[in-house]
Amino acid sequence: MSILTITSGLYSNAGEVASRLSEKLNSKIITDADIIEKTHQDNDINLSTLQKVVESKPLAFNDFSHEKEKCLASIIKSIFEYACLGDCIFLGILGHLIPSEISHAMRVLIITDKKTRTQNGITLHGLSEKEALKNIEQSDKVAALWTNDLFRKKAWDESLYDIVIPTDKMDAEASVSLILKHSEKLLSSKEDLIKKEILDFKLISDVDLVLSEIGQGLLAGIDGGNVTVTIDKKVMMLAKLQQKIMTAVQKIPGVKSVETKIGKNYYKGNIVRNYEF
């Protein structure tokens, strides 16, 4: 089973590269729109709410409803279910939600300069220069907010990808060849390791759904059924929250152990505050 994610700047010709890869690898292309629609259908979540989350727009009363966290957990679940269907290529920004623990997933960035992208928008999509630029800026803004929210990094930060392909310097055929060459290394991974990572992927999607009901700032990590939940937010009653997390996560099939730890954004609130006079 191979998992490939392609993130791209709008009008960078990523669609052509993905299409050729799909033929070579016999893989299905899964777009962000596909994932959002599946999440909507499977979880009865409004499409407008899901779209707001993907565009990093604020949701009213999220501190109480945890709606954003529930949407993200449901999207991750949809991604896992698509991945289980067989070899697939995730085309868009939602591939960033695939956990870093999935080492056999290959992450590709396809990008080029804005001038070339604008020209592609004009010649390949029949747009005016003004329309092409507007679409590029809007798309780049969504991508930038998304990666900043997830990783505190810029959308085209090279550290987020295994390969960066500049399509002004490489045509579709050369891009496909480069990706295939690197994918062979990933596919040479031991089969038992891939199976373990897929099981971890399933488990982390289940854990995220449970944690989304508890609150914000809870980050799950998994290794072979052993779950670590990082509390990365301000809390008043730490021990009570830790117990709530452990009780909920322990009920999930496949969980062997649960551990909680404190993240860098944790702050223990004090009733008595210090003042300088």
Side-chain angles (χ1 to χ4, degrees):
M1 179 184 293
S2 67
I3 300 175
L4 176 64
T5 74
I6 297 179
T7 304
S8 69
L10 187 64
Y11 309 142
S12 295
N13 292 342
E16 183 182 356
V17 175
S19 181
R20 292 192 182 202
L21 279 169
S22 176
E23 292 177 9
K24 294 276 189 181
L25 297 171
N26 195 26
S27 299
K28 183 177 180 181
I29 297 174
I30 311 296
T31 65
D32 288 352
D34 293 330
I35 296 168
I36 291 171
E37 180 61 31
K38 176 176 172 56
T39 306
H40 161 64
Q41 295 290 343
D42 292 352
N43 302 276
D44 196 26
I45 302 173
N46 289 336
L47 281 172
S48 59
T49 302
L50 289 166
Q51 200 60 49
K52 280 184 178 180
V53 170
V54 173
E55 293 176 2
S56 303
K57 293 179 178 178
L59 300 180
F61 311 113
N62 191 67
D63 287 347
F64 303 99
S65 67
H66 315 311
E67 200 168 13
K68 176 182 176 182
E69 288 70 30
K70 292 173 185 176
C71 286
L72 287 173
S74 298
I75 290 171
I76 292 171
K77 188 77 172 176
S78 295
I79 292 172
F80 165 74
E81 289 173 357
Y82 269 126
C84 283
L85 296 176
D87 297 343
C88 52
I89 299 169
F90 292 101
L91 181 60
I93 60 174
L94 295 186
H96 283 299
L97 289 173
I98 295 175
S100 59
E101 289 91 341
I102 311 303
S103 65
H104 68 278
M106 182 177 172
R107 297 161 174 86
V108 178
L109 171 64
I110 295 178
I111 193 68
T112 186
D113 60 274
K114 188 176 285 188
K115 182 179 179 181
T116 303
R117 293 163 66 192
T118 304
Q119 190 58 47
N120 287 341
I122 296 169
T123 57
L124 300 178
H125 300 276
L127 302 174
S128 67
E129 182 178 353
K130 185 178 180 180
E131 288 172 329
L133 277 170
K134 181 181 178 182
N135 291 348
I136 288 169
E137 288 168 3
Q138 178 60 31
S139 177
D140 285 1
K141 179 183 177 183
V142 170
L145 289 171
W146 182 249
T147 53
N148 181 68
D149 201 26
L150 292 178
F151 311 112
R152 295 292 181 265
K153 292 183 178 181
K154 295 180 180 179
W156 319 138
D157 190 314
E158 292 187 7
S159 66
L160 297 176
Y161 308 97
D162 298 306
I163 303 178
V164 177
I165 295 178
T167 50
D168 58 318
K169 298 179 177 65
M170 297 180 69
D171 61 17
E173 186 176 349
S175 300
V176 168
S177 296
L178 181 61
I179 293 170
L180 289 175
K181 181 180 177 181
H182 281 261
S183 69
E184 288 173 2
K185 298 177 183 178
L186 288 175
L187 293 175
S188 65
S189 301
K190 292 182 179 178
E191 190 175 338
D192 56 347
L193 173 63
I194 293 176
K195 287 181 179 178
K196 172 187 173 295
E197 290 184 349
I198 290 296
L199 287 173
D200 281 350
F201 193 176
K202 179 186 184 306
L203 199 53
I204 204 165
S205 66
D206 291 337
V207 170
D208 281 341
L209 277 172
V210 168
L211 293 178
S212 71
E213 298 288 340
I214 296 175
Q216 301 167 300
L218 303 177
L219 311 175
I222 293 182
D223 183 14
N226 301 303
V227 181
T228 301
V229 179
T230 302
I231 300 170
D232 200 35
K233 64 172 183 176
K234 301 176 183 180
V235 295
M236 291 283 289
M237 303 174 70
L238 177 61
K240 185 176 179 180
L241 178 62
Q242 287 174 317
Q243 187 58 51
K244 187 175 183 179
I245 290 168
M246 294 181 73
T247 300
V249 175
Q250 282 172 347
K251 295 177 182 177
I252 300 172
V255 171
K256 296 177 182 177
S257 68
V258 186
E259 176 189 358
T260 62
K261 66 178 185 179
I262 303 305
K264 62 182 180 180
N265 294 315
Y266 167 78
Y267 169 79
K268 190 171 184 178
N270 295 314
I271 296 175
V272 179
R273 294 175 174 81
N274 296 321
Y275 293 92
E276 287 186 8
F277 294 95

